[in-house]
Amino acid sequence: MGDDFENLPIDITSNKLLDWLIDRRHVKHKWQAAATVIQEKINHAIQDMPEVEEIKELLAGTYINYFHCLRILELLKISESGSRNIFGYYSSQRMKDWQEIVSLYEKDSVYLAEVADMLIRNVAYEVPWLRKQIAKCQQSQTECEKKEKFYAEAAETAKEEYKQYCKKLGIKGEKIRRELLSLVSELPEIYESLTRDVKSLSEVVEFYEAFVLFTLDSVKGETSPYLKHLIKYGNTTTYQWRTKKVPQTVEEPKLWFLEEEDENTNEDEIDWGGIGDDIEEIDFNITVEDVGATDIIDFNKESTDTPGEHDWNVGSGLGAAETDDGIARGKDALTILDNPVTRNQFINELLELESFLHQRLAEMQGEDDILSVNQFQSAPVILQMKSVDDIQRMLSSVSGVLGSITDTRIHHLLMLNSSPKYVDRLTESVMQKKDLEEKMRASKVAVEEKRKATIEEEMQLKPKEERLIRNTRELKKQIEKDISKRYKNRPVNLMGAINTL
């Protein structure tokens, strides 16, 4: 029976080990004070140590415990053997220091309390913390890989969008400001093409004028004056439109901001030449991405005419020259399509024609067309002979011209030609799209660096974790062996979280 009792194992929960030792009076409750004194002596003793490789490895640990001290003492007996006297004592101060440390550890079993506390901390805090840090590094690496892929795709998307935007504007995207300003040279050709298209609207203008004269009692002024002028004379100067005379000389205004400048020139250093500050901007109801809002023109004109009288001449806003010397200068030197005021009125007339044709088409296709036919029996031939197909064809022609003059790219060119602020704004817009790709690539590089840093951190933490687990397992064996000696070599098992490391 006695032998069976001696072989009965002692199971101790690892997180209760220190309490178990204190309850059974193997260690004192206030062991920390003695342990602090011992650690101070250890810190002093390690300042003078022999060049022994194993001792260096032992001292490289974060914390030196009793079992380390025993091993150091054994190694010192070899390295300090020459200091041993005839009585078997060592005269070396190193040996004396470490012998004193071991003696203090063994007094009241301070060493056992210290290693028990160390084992509990390693199991409960140190190892889990290291594992948590490693898991964070791995999670960060996964997130960084996803972000790298995202930024790479975003950079390619931004690059493609930039190419498409430049293609839409008709530039290469290398020297943005210079290329944008060079686009203005395309305007004369565009005006010429637009003028040819406008001349095809003569039938529409005649039809509209005949309709107005037939349906209204009296008309003040003529209909579509700008369209008629463009059809008859082409894209003349504003002076010719205003005075009905061909100018003897045209003094074209110098647009200083259209001159090529360095891409890095500051805005404060640009001489605008006083042009463009008072030029209105036109909103064609077209969304221009990243460019900013333009001024909105109100096409509605409040009429004060009496019923039955309509004035179709909208004020040009050009004003009469004080003296007519036959020289077109300033705004008078601009062509009708170049001048924002006359161009705006021209667009108004196109919108008016388009609205009229839409309404007329709806009337002719509606159920009330029979009544309309009766009303137009006495109308001019030009009104009676037009079919639905004719109206649709005319509407298509008007919409085509209107679409050309209000096209996004044409809008950019017109604004570039008339507004220095717009030049800067559009340049900045293009630059932002160009910079977006660089930002995405820079973000990708930053994420790559972060991922590499977390990989390096993980590589540093893993050896620490492995070493700590190895030392903790070694402590477990040493503690079990020490307690076993105190109970006549009965088997001792530390249970719990210690076995999950």
Side-chain angles (χ1 to χ4, degrees):
M1 185 69 179
D3 293 339
D4 293 339
F5 179 78
E6 290 178 358
N7 293 327
L8 189 66
I10 301 174
D11 294 336
I12 307 171
T13 305
S14 59
N15 61 347
K16 299 292 184 181
L17 175 60
L18 187 57
D19 294 335
W20 188 90
L21 293 172
I22 293 174
D23 290 343
R24 284 155 183 78
R25 301 182 184 278
H26 293 302
V27 298
K28 290 186 177 181
H29 185 71
K30 296 182 179 180
W31 60 270
Q32 291 95 338
T36 302
V37 174
I38 295 171
Q39 285 300 319
E40 290 177 357
K41 290 185 176 295
I42 290 175
N43 291 334
H44 176 72
I46 62 177
Q47 302 301 320
D48 180 27
M49 297 298 292
E51 295 294 327
V52 179
E53 190 63 31
E54 188 175 349
I55 291 179
K56 288 182 179 180
E57 292 178 2
L58 290 171
L59 296 178
T62 56
Y63 196 89
I64 300 175
N65 59 46
Y66 167 74
F67 299 106
H68 293 149
C69 294
L70 288 179
R71 182 57 184 163
I72 290 172
L73 196 58
E74 291 176 4
L75 294 172
L76 285 176
K77 287 179 181 179
I78 299 173
S79 64
E80 303 295 322
S81 58
S83 64
R84 191 172 183 178
N85 57 30
I86 58 175
F87 299 105
Y89 295 102
Y90 291 90
S91 60
S92 169
Q93 185 61 39
R94 294 171 181 168
M95 284 295 297
K96 291 179 180 179
D97 290 342
W98 287 100
Q99 284 175 340
E100 181 186 6
I101 290 170
V102 171
S103 177
L104 290 173
Y105 259 134
E106 292 175 348
K107 184 180 179 181
D108 297 327
S109 298
V110 174
Y111 74 92
L112 189 58
E114 185 185 59
V115 293
D117 181 67
M118 187 182 301
L119 182 139
I120 293 171
R121 282 190 289 106
N122 287 351
V123 173
Y125 304 107
E126 300 296 336
V127 173
W129 182 84
L130 284 172
R131 286 178 173 173
K132 186 177 181 180
Q133 292 302 113
I134 292 172
K136 280 185 178 180
C137 290
Q138 293 172 345
Q139 182 181 1
S140 179
Q141 291 166 29
T142 303
E143 292 175 355
C144 287
E145 288 174 358
K146 291 180 180 179
K147 288 182 178 180
E148 283 180 43
K149 184 178 179 181
F150 168 77
Y151 285 129
E153 292 175 353
E156 290 301 319
T157 301
K159 182 179 180 180
E160 186 61 28
E161 288 180 353
Y162 176 68
K163 286 182 178 179
Q164 293 299 325
Y165 193 58
C166 290
K167 184 178 179 181
K168 186 178 180 181
L169 293 175
I171 62 176
K172 293 181 180 179
E174 296 173 356
K175 295 183 178 180
I176 297 171
R177 183 183 178 84
R178 183 175 299 176
E179 291 175 13
L180 286 174
L181 294 177
S182 67
L183 293 177
V184 177
S185 61
E186 300 178 14
L187 280 176
E189 184 179 346
I190 293 172
Y191 290 156
E192 184 179 350
S193 174
L194 191 61
T195 303
R196 287 196 301 268
D197 293 339
V198 169
K199 289 183 178 181
S200 66
L201 301 181
S202 58
E203 180 186 5
V204 185
V205 173
E206 291 175 6
F207 177 74
Y208 179 52
E209 184 176 25
F211 187 91
V212 170
L213 292 174
F214 176 73
T215 55
L216 298 179
D217 296 335
S218 61
V219 178
K220 184 180 179 181
E222 62 176 332
T223 59
S224 309
Y226 289 91
L227 277 168
K228 289 179 180 178
H229 183 88
L230 285 168
I231 291 171
K232 186 175 182 179
Y233 301 105
N235 187 29
T236 66
T237 61
T238 306
Y239 175 89
Q240 184 174 343
W241 151 256
R242 183 175 60 81
T243 64
K244 310 304 180 187
K245 295 187 298 183
V246 178
Q248 298 176 6
T249 307
V250 178
E251 295 180 357
E252 295 185 1
K254 182 66 174 177
L255 302 179
W256 300 101
F257 60 89
L258 294 182
E259 294 182 354
E260 292 185 354
E261 300 176 11
D262 190 343
E263 293 288 328
N264 297 322
T265 302
N266 293 327
E267 184 177 351
D268 294 337
E269 298 175 352
I270 299 174
D271 180 10
W272 299 117
I275 302 296
D277 294 337
D278 58 345
I279 297 179
E280 299 178 1
E281 295 186 2
I282 301 173
D283 182 6
F284 297 123
N285 292 326
I286 296 174
T287 301
V288 183
E289 297 178 357
D290 302 325
V291 174
T294 56
D295 295 337
I296 299 176
I297 295 177
D298 186 5
F299 293 117
N300 296 323
K301 180 178 182 298
E302 183 178 353
S303 175
T304 57
D305 297 335
T306 58
E309 293 187 358
H310 299 269
D311 184 4
W312 298 98
N313 286 326
V314 182
S316 65
L318 299 174
E322 294 181 1
T323 58
D324 186 3
D325 53 4
I327 300 176
R329 56 172 64 88
K331 288 186 178 181
D332 274 352
L334 298 174
T335 65
I336 291 177
L337 295 179
D338 256 333
N339 192 323
V341 177
T342 54
R343 182 174 66 243
N344 185 32
Q345 298 299 337
F346 166 65
I347 293 172
N348 284 347
E349 291 182 1
L350 288 175
L351 290 170
E352 184 178 320
L353 280 180
E354 187 180 47
S355 299
F356 161 71
L357 292 173
H358 274 299
Q359 180 63 33
R360 184 63 188 140
L361 185 62
E363 291 172 353
M364 294 178 69
Q365 292 176 336
E367 297 179 356
D368 299 333
D369 189 44
I370 297 176
L371 179 61
S372 177
V373 170
N374 293 331
Q375 291 176 341
F376 281 85
Q377 285 181 351
S378 60
V381 177
I382 190 174
L383 297 181
Q384 296 187 39
M385 298 302 294
K386 296 300 180 185
S387 64
V388 172
D389 292 339
D390 293 329
I391 301 298
Q392 288 178 334
R393 176 176 51 79
M394 290 190 292
L395 178 59
S396 177
S397 299
V398 173
S399 297
V401 175
L402 185 60
S404 297
I405 191 65
T406 57
D407 178 72
T408 303
R409 185 168 182 272
I410 304 301
H411 171 73
H412 286 314
L413 297 183
L414 295 173
M415 297 306 298
L416 286 171
N417 192 42
S418 61
S419 173
K421 292 181 180 179
Y422 191 84
V423 175
D424 293 336
R425 195 159 63 241
L426 185 57
T427 301
E428 183 181 356
S429 171
V430 179
M431 286 297 298
Q432 285 177 353
K433 289 186 176 294
K434 182 179 181 181
D435 293 342
L436 183 59
E437 178 191 355
E438 297 177 1
K439 288 180 180 179
M440 292 298 102
R441 296 199 184 281
S443 298
K444 180 176 179 291
V445 171
V447 171
E448 285 178 352
E449 293 297 327
K450 182 179 179 181
R451 180 173 59 82
K452 291 177 182 178
T454 56
I455 291 174
E456 185 177 351
E457 183 181 357
E458 182 184 358
M459 291 176 65
Q460 293 175 353
L461 289 174
K462 278 191 172 180
K464 291 181 180 179
E465 179 198 19
E466 293 171 358
R467 183 169 59 251
L468 185 60
I469 291 174
R470 184 172 61 251
N471 293 341
T472 304
R473 288 173 178 169
E474 184 66 24
L475 273 181
K476 174 179 177 290
K477 293 178 181 179
Q478 292 168 339
I479 292 171
E480 288 175 342
K481 184 178 180 181
D482 190 279
I483 295 175
S484 178
K485 289 179 181 179
R486 297 169 186 265
Y487 289 90
K488 298 180 180 180
N489 294 324
R490 285 176 60 185
V492 176
N493 299 316
L494 292 179
M495 313 296 289
I498 182 66
N499 296 314
T500 62
L501 295 180

